[in-house]
Amino acid sequence: MMVGMASEETRTLKSTTTDTGGPAASDPATSGGGPATRAWTTRLVVVGIVLAALNLRPAITSLGALLEEVRDGLGMSGSVAGLLTSVPPLCFAAFGVMAPRLARRFGPSTVVCAGMLAITAGLLIRPYVGGTAGFLAGSALALMGIAVSNVLMPVIVKRWFPDRVGSMTGLYSMALALGTAAAAAVTVPMTDALGGSWRSGLVVWAGLAAAAVLPWTALARHREAPADPASRAREGERARPELRITRSRTAWALAVFFGLQATAAYITMGWMAQIFRDAGVSASTAGLLLAVTMAVGVPLAFVIPRVATRLPHQGPIVVVLGLCGLAGYAGLYLAPAGGAWAWALLLGIANCAFPLALTMVGMRARTGAGVAQLSAFAQSAGYLISVPGPLLVGVLYQHSGGWGLPIALMAGLMVPQMAVGVLAGRDRTVEDEAAR
């Protein structure tokens, strides 16, 4: 499945160019090597993309499953725990903006390799450095690696698979959802099997991150051209001037859409298990419910990008996902325990706005350089927008003594998410808008 997907992409993807805009030396791409070598490298890229995607959320969802134990173990208040759940989007905003510049200098594969190393190191040290500050620092290191990889994955997909952006984005998103769900589902029982220490339950995920380092190390050292002839023909071009991406209304709409869906996702990953536990659900069942929410995204993350690339306007998908989110939040408010499995399913469908946003990043820019800039802008600005959400939920929960106000906040944010998503889904490119 990973290497034999048929080409099916839309007219928006027919124009393909270089990577992040640099000469051949800026990427694992030069013109050497025969067809067999290129085929081997392409397969290695697919493996690398899948392994990288598997590691982009366990650092977060494994913590969500054990948040109560971590709070007790480190003596955190509700507000500090809210700050902890806000660290992921803050790091993604702060570090993600650096990814295009790093990629131009060192090459995307090298930067992603460094990102996987950072994830491994952060997950290894954060449970054991001692105190809340050390835990936050270790988490920030892992999240820095996630941030640059988040931004560069659409760039690598566009570069190596320009005629299969929907399929490869779907595969990447499916692997990401699988890693997210696995961490949510098995962290609690794995912690119990390892003696009940939350530190052991968190540190084991460093092993998965270490596995992802291997293919990216090979790709960073193996300087081979992408399979697309048009991309290879332009490798010698000098970097074009950067787009004035802030002139594009579509870029802004996509950034806000990305930010609002990220707000919902990180509130869900950070707090949903606690909502169910406070409603009387056991810790293991709450972890499974969170896993169901994440697991729904596994098949849908593969299907939605393929459907989206065949539509001239992605607005209808945005609206359907938003309505599922509103229904899920209503259920959490009215009967959190009684209909828990249904609400977990609906919120899992709503969280598939993430692969849709990634797909629109690839569709709203014509060139690899445009995708790099749009990805960095939309993700960095978007994650910055999402920072207050999880923190505000923690504050509202602590001061109101319940989940009514936090759930009302989550539902209220779904309405503007649908509105800006419809705007971002229009059939146009940021290059055209910026040039006007």
Side-chain angles (χ1 to χ4, degrees):
M1 180 183 70
M2 291 190 293
V3 297
M5 298 177 188
S7 303
E8 81 294 325
E9 305 311 331
T10 64
R11 59 190 178 278
T12 60
L13 303 174
K14 290 181 180 178
S15 173
T16 58
T17 58
T18 63
D19 188 10
T20 53
S26 68
D27 188 73
T30 58
S31 58
T37 304
R38 286 195 296 273
W40 178 87
T41 307
T42 301
R43 293 186 179 95
L44 188 62
V45 172
V46 175
V47 173
I49 287 172
V50 171
L51 285 175
L54 287 171
N55 281 284
L56 295 183
R57 294 299 179 269
I60 302 165
T61 49
S62 61
L63 175 59
L66 294 173
L67 184 58
E68 184 171 310
E69 287 75 11
V70 174
R71 285 175 58 190
D72 293 342
L74 297 178
M76 293 183 186
S77 66
S79 297
V80 173
L83 175 62
L84 182 60
T85 58
S86 292
V87 168
L90 181 61
C91 289
F92 294 166
F95 299 120
V97 72
M98 303 185 305
R101 181 173 296 180
L102 292 171
R104 284 195 297 272
R105 181 170 181 180
F106 301 106
S109 296
T110 301
V111 177
V112 173
C113 181
M116 295 300 109
L117 284 169
I119 295 171
T120 304
L123 293 181
L124 280 173
I125 67 173
R126 75 172 180 177
Y128 300 108
V129 289
T132 300
F135 190 89
L136 288 170
S139 296
L141 177 59
L143 294 167
M144 178 175 64
I146 295 173
V148 294
S149 302
N150 272 336
V151 170
L152 293 179
M153 282 297 109
V155 178
I156 289 171
V157 167
K158 179 81 167 183
R159 175 176 174 78
W160 287 89
F161 309 97
D163 59 339
R164 288 177 283 170
V165 170
S167 295
M168 292 307 300
T169 301
L171 178 65
Y172 157 71
S173 301
M174 184 172 67
L176 189 150
L178 181 61
T180 306
V186 307
T187 295
V188 171
M190 188 164 54
T191 300
D192 293 339
L194 293 172
S197 169
W198 60 266
R199 291 181 169 85
S200 300
L202 293 181
V203 78
V204 294
W205 294 103
L208 182 62
V213 173
L214 301 177
W216 288 105
T217 301
L219 287 167
R221 298 177 62 184
H222 186 84
R223 307 186 68 79
E224 172 62 45
D228 174 49
S231 294
R232 289 203 308 271
R234 291 170 182 166
E235 282 293 341
E237 293 183 0
R238 291 185 177 272
R240 297 180 180 181
E242 289 193 356
L243 295 170
R244 294 192 175 184
I245 199 78
T246 54
R247 289 185 174 183
S248 169
R249 293 181 180 179
T250 297
W252 280 107
L254 190 52
V256 176
F257 176 68
F258 204 101
L260 291 175
Q261 68 80 26
T263 300
Y266 287 104
I267 289 173
T268 299
M269 286 186 280
W271 289 107
M272 197 177 82
Q274 191 65 50
I275 293 175
F276 286 128
R277 291 177 73 167
D278 286 352
V281 177
S282 68
S284 59
T285 302
L288 285 175
L289 287 165
L290 180 59
V292 167
T293 301
M294 303 301 127
V296 170
V298 175
L300 290 182
F302 185 70
V303 172
I304 287 176
R306 294 167 67 92
V307 173
T309 53
R310 298 183 183 187
L311 296 177
H313 194 307
Q314 290 74 49
I317 304 177
V318 171
V319 172
V320 170
L321 297 180
L323 292 176
C324 288
L326 288 174
Y329 291 133
L332 276 183
Y333 180 80
L334 296 172
W341 296 101
W343 318 142
L345 181 65
L346 286 168
L347 291 173
I349 296 172
N351 280 346
C352 287
F354 175 72
L356 178 60
L358 288 180
T359 306
M360 288 195 287
V361 167
M363 296 180 70
R364 297 287 89 87
R366 287 198 307 269
T367 68
V371 171
Q373 285 186 250
L374 179 58
S375 181
F377 175 74
Q379 294 200 46
S380 295
Y383 284 125
L384 189 61
I385 291 170
S386 72
V387 168
L391 175 60
L392 185 56
V393 165
V395 172
L396 289 175
Y397 171 56
Q398 180 172 346
H399 291 282
S400 68
W403 288 106
L405 286 178
I407 291 173
L409 172 67
M410 300 177 212
L413 292 176
M414 194 59 66
V415 177
Q417 177 180 318
M418 288 190 285
V420 294
V422 169
L423 293 177
R426 296 174 298 173
D427 187 11
R428 57 196 63 195
T429 65
V430 293
E431 288 92 345
D432 291 340
E433 291 184 338
R436 294 194 188 109

